[in-house]
Amino acid sequence: MSGRFVRASKYRHVFGRPTRKEQCYDNLRISKNAWDTNLIKVRSLLPPDRSLEAIGADVQKANPLYLSVNWEAGGGGSFAVIPVNERGRLPEQIPLFKGHTGPVLDTDWNPFNDSLIASGSDDGKFLTAVQVFIWTVPKNFTLYTPKDVEPRDVTPVSKLSGHTRKVGHVLFNPSAENILGTSSGDYTIKLWDIEAGTPRLTLRHADIVQSMSWSANGSLMVTTSRDKKLRVWDVRQERPAQEVAGHGGAKNSRAVWMGELDRVATTGFSKMSDRQLALWDIRTLQAPVGGFYSLDSISGVCMPFWDDGTQCLYLAGKGDGNIRYYEYENDSFEPLSEYKSADPQRGVAFTPKRGVNLHDNEVARAYKTVNDTYIEPISFIVPRRAEVFQHDIYPPSTGSQPGLPSADWFAGKDALPPKIDLEKVYDGEEPVAVAAESKPAPVFATRAASPPPKKEAEPQKSTPASTAAQRELPPSIKESKSSISEMASKFADNDDSEEDDGSSGFDRPSRSPDHTAPPKASHSAMKAPEKQRDRSPVKHTIAQPPQDEPSASKATSPDAPFEPDLEILGTLDEISSLLKWQNQALLEQQKNLVAQTEWLSQLTAEIDTLKAIWPHSRGSARKGV
């Protein structure tokens, strides 16, 4: 029965549904730069109750969902922004976001302003100060222009200067408004107030940063770097709160903060170049929880994506077309399934929860690059036949309002962004804000923590007990055995002295009728436990030797050592006999199995003989006919 046990889960049957080629975003020139990045990012304020097929031109009037794609272009770096409703084969010339002098390496959308995007590039080859650009998507932006009109490129609205080498990653704070983190080849991460245009904080590393991820309230950040270290930063202190050796392989590793949990998931490689997955507790970062989990031996970097609503982790590998997904439960990752495709991917992005299709029970949607020419949407769906909102798979999700302004965040305050009730969105109504529950900041093992909660119960433990017996714990089995052996040795010495004197309790039994109190067991009863269980009157009147009286007083006092009941010895004999009986039964079963095996062998031989004779007898019968 244990082999057929299946773990209960709402997401056990989640499957990935691909999109037809004509519904993809085709005719793209995706960047071929070798920098390790996701290549595409997605942002949405799209009403989640509407599928891609149901979106019409009226979305242009609202807030469409945008895709940003690193573009392969000469004469400077650029990237493209694609409205999600403009599917199919795109025009040969489209408006690009131009301004960088080197290839664009990464982009990120502002989580609280769907028309604001930041970009980082490899401008260090041409400029002394590398710049991070801030862009605004024009109103009613579209890729299609009239035939006689050339597309107009978009220019940045602001520039952030401070890094001395290429900017490889840009990432907005998920809670505070207008706070941007950027990592560079100068081994630093700078935290910008994009309203003021100045870097406020700097996190210094020992090598190039390979990935970074914010905590849910934006107070902490986890990073991986080329020195194979995993660091958890208290960013406003500008120092790592925890630092530990990560994956041991030479290739890149990634890290993702698991939403509002105090856990971090990392992907990387072992020293034997096997892809690995690890789960870390940020409070005690000495080693991963349960060790490193080996995935496969594929050489592509594994990109992790965390869904806080479903508590699922998605792993997309570069160079292969598969996307694995796991469910986090009981402090481990339970495998759910895997989306398999023959088309390899170099970049993957996941849409926010407010952009999924609630009516189709879509819990996640990914966008993957294929052959650097088009982007394919993949929907992950829970198969259910229901016409009402599914509360169990759609908990409140993060909305579009920040938790606090940038000034409060730099002042040291923390807050989670408010969430929205997806049921209202399902019904086509205005989303209702749900207050996010603030959780206390984790206490790291390296810090001087307050006294542990165990000390709170010390006053109760210090209360004196009424007797010594209440203060002492019951003796263990070893203590019981040792006390029995000591008693046996003591009485054995007394037997020798009594035999020398010629006086034995069995020679002169006392049958006094006045003896009504049950006496204690004598040394002869220790040697004969079978007779002790009979409770015969003879043993009740056995004369006790005088040297046993002090021991009797000890037995009756509360401080006396524990003396086990003599019936234990008889019980051990019964257990021994029961084990012997079981062994005999097992031997008989083995004999029966051997006999049955021999019988089956004989039957098999007879069947083979009949099979061999049957064709000859059938042929002779035909000849006779």
Side-chain angles (χ1 to χ4, degrees):
M1 294 296 292
S2 60
R4 291 180 290 177
F5 174 75
V6 178
R7 186 181 62 89
S9 172
K10 299 186 293 289
Y11 310 104
R12 188 163 56 91
H13 299 291
V14 170
F15 68 95
R17 184 178 66 187
T19 305
R20 300 190 303 271
K21 181 66 177 295
E22 56 270 19
Q23 297 294 332
C24 297
Y25 308 92
D26 200 1
N27 196 26
L28 304 179
R29 292 187 290 274
I30 301 174
S31 174
K32 296 181 175 59
N33 192 281
W35 179 254
D36 182 22
T37 183
N38 292 352
L39 293 177
I40 58 177
K41 291 292 179 68
V42 61
R43 178 52 53 191
S44 169
L45 263 180
L46 182 71
D49 62 323
R50 305 182 66 187
S51 63
L52 289 178
E53 291 74 9
I55 298 173
D58 59 330
V59 179
Q60 300 275 342
K61 302 176 184 178
N63 289 313
L65 181 146
Y66 294 113
L67 289 171
S68 64
V69 186
N70 297 355
W71 202 257
E72 181 70 20
S78 60
F79 65 95
V81 172
I82 305 172
V84 73
N85 62 311
E86 297 183 1
R87 304 182 307 277
R89 186 175 180 85
L90 301 181
E92 292 295 333
Q93 292 185 350
I94 61 175
L96 299 176
F97 287 61
K98 287 186 176 181
H100 290 285
T101 58
V104 174
L105 302 181
D106 195 20
T107 59
D108 191 45
W109 293 94
N110 189 321
F112 312 115
N113 185 349
D114 285 82
S115 62
L116 192 68
I117 185 173
S119 64
S121 68
D122 191 4
D123 293 335
K125 299 178 182 179
F126 310 98
L127 299 175
T128 56
V130 181
Q131 296 176 334
V132 177
F133 288 175
I134 306 298
W135 314 73
T136 299
V137 180
K139 187 177 181 180
N140 297 330
F141 179 75
T142 178
L143 300 180
Y144 294 91
T145 57
K147 293 183 179 180
D148 299 336
V149 179
E150 292 185 1
R152 296 180 59 183
D153 295 331
V154 182
T155 57
V157 296
S158 64
K159 302 177 181 180
L160 309 177
S161 300
H163 288 295
T164 59
R165 293 190 178 182
K166 63 182 178 182
V167 177
H169 303 92
V170 292
L171 190 62
F172 276 96
N173 189 296
S175 177
E177 188 177 15
N178 295 329
I179 295 178
L180 178 68
T182 61
S183 70
S184 171
D186 57 9
Y187 304 165
T188 64
I189 292 179
K190 291 185 180 298
L191 303 182
W192 306 79
D193 184 352
I194 63 174
E195 292 179 337
T198 57
R200 300 286 299 273
L201 302 170
T202 301
L203 313 180
R204 303 186 182 278
H205 291 69
D207 212 325
I208 293 179
V209 176
Q210 295 175 340
S211 70
M212 59 183 182
S213 180
W214 292 94
S215 62
N217 62 359
S219 63
L220 302 174
M221 176 183 284
V222 59
T223 63
T224 60
S225 60
R226 199 166 56 183
D227 60 359
K228 304 177 185 178
K229 296 289 186 180
L230 178 69
R231 297 178 176 89
V232 175
W233 294 81
D234 189 348
V235 292
R236 283 168 295 203
Q237 300 296 327
E238 298 183 274
R239 61 180 178 85
Q242 294 274 359
E243 181 176 341
V244 69
H247 298 269
K251 298 181 181 179
N252 288 4
S253 60
R254 297 282 193 97
V256 61
W257 203 288
M258 295 169 58
E260 300 179 10
L261 303 176
D262 53 2
R263 297 290 188 273
V264 170
T266 61
T267 59
F269 294 83
S270 66
K271 294 182 179 179
M272 302 302 293
S273 297
D274 293 333
R275 288 201 295 195
Q276 293 178 330
L277 171 65
L279 173 66
W280 304 81
D281 185 348
I282 65 169
R283 298 167 299 181
T284 56
L285 209 65
Q286 288 77 13
V289 179
F292 294 96
Y293 177 73
S294 180
L295 298 174
D296 49 42
S297 299
I298 301 177
S299 59
V301 175
C302 220
M303 298 175 283
F305 300 92
W306 172 254
D307 183 6
D308 201 33
T310 61
Q311 301 282 290
C312 291
L313 178 70
Y314 296 83
L315 301 181
K318 283 193 173 184
D320 59 89
N322 303 339
I323 300 178
R324 297 182 177 93
Y325 37 102
Y326 303 80
E327 184 178 6
Y328 175 73
E329 188 178 35
N330 297 328
D331 222 11
S332 65
F333 291 119
E334 300 292 342
L336 291 176
S337 185
E338 181 178 6
Y339 169 79
K340 296 183 179 181
S341 172
D343 299 323
Q345 64 224 2
R346 287 185 59 233
V348 175
F350 275 74
T351 185
K353 182 67 70 174
R354 58 190 179 182
V356 300
N357 187 358
L358 302 179
H359 287 275
D360 285 349
N361 295 331
E362 182 185 34
V363 293
R365 185 190 302 161
Y367 294 85
K368 58 176 286 186
T369 64
V370 180
N371 299 328
D372 293 337
T373 58
Y374 70 94
I375 296 176
E376 177 187 8
I378 301 170
S379 297
F380 293 92
I381 299 174
V382 176
R384 288 184 179 181
R385 292 184 177 180
E387 298 181 356
V388 295
F389 180 73
Q390 304 296 300
H391 294 84
D392 57 335
I393 62 176
Y394 292 119
S397 178
T398 302
S400 58
Q401 298 298 323
L404 70 169
S406 58
D408 292 347
W409 187 86
F410 282 112
K413 296 181 180 180
D414 294 329
L416 291 172
K419 298 184 178 182
I420 58 174
D421 186 4
L422 295 179
E423 185 176 7
K424 297 296 182 180
V425 182
Y426 178 90
D427 297 333
E429 302 176 5
E430 188 70 19
V432 177
V434 179
E437 297 181 0
S438 59
K439 298 181 180 180
V443 179
F444 300 103
T446 57
R447 296 181 179 178
S450 58
K454 291 183 179 179
K455 293 186 177 181
E456 296 178 358
E458 285 184 357
Q460 298 178 0
K461 293 183 179 181
S462 61
T463 305
S466 58
T467 58
Q470 293 178 350
R471 293 193 302 267
E472 295 181 356
L473 295 175
S476 62
I477 296 177
K478 292 184 179 180
E479 294 175 353
S480 301
K481 290 183 179 179
S482 62
S483 62
I484 292 173
S485 60
E486 291 175 0
M487 292 171 61
S489 61
K490 181 178 67 174
F491 286 121
D493 295 337
N494 293 335
D495 288 342
D496 295 337
S497 61
E498 288 177 0
E499 289 175 1
D500 294 339
D501 297 337
S503 60
S504 174
F506 287 100
D507 295 337
R508 295 180 286 103
S510 174
R511 298 181 179 272
S512 173
D514 299 334
H515 185 59
T516 57
K520 296 180 293 297
S522 66
H523 60 279
S524 59
M526 292 292 298
K527 292 184 179 180
E530 297 84 357
K531 296 181 180 180
Q532 174 66 22
R533 289 184 299 174
D534 294 339
R535 306 293 183 185
S536 60
V538 176
K539 296 191 186 73
H540 285 214
T541 57
I542 292 177
Q544 302 295 329
Q547 60 268 24
D548 289 345
E549 293 178 359
S551 63
S553 62
K554 291 181 181 179
T556 56
S557 64
D559 297 332
F562 175 74
E563 293 186 6
D565 191 355
L566 297 178
E567 294 185 0
I568 296 177
L569 299 177
T571 306
L572 293 176
D573 293 339
E574 293 178 358
I575 294 174
S576 177
S577 61
L578 181 61
L579 291 175
K580 291 180 180 179
W581 178 83
Q582 290 181 349
N583 291 335
Q584 292 178 358
L586 289 175
L587 291 175
E588 292 179 359
Q589 290 181 358
Q590 291 178 357
K591 291 179 181 179
N592 294 335
L593 290 175
V594 171
Q596 291 177 359
T597 303
E598 294 178 354
W599 180 69
L600 290 174
S601 300
Q602 293 177 1
L603 288 178
T604 304
E606 292 178 1
I607 291 172
D608 294 339
T609 304
L610 292 175
K611 287 182 179 180
I613 297 174
W614 171 249
H616 298 287
S617 61
R618 188 176 181 183
S620 59
R622 288 181 178 177
K623 290 180 182 180
V625 175

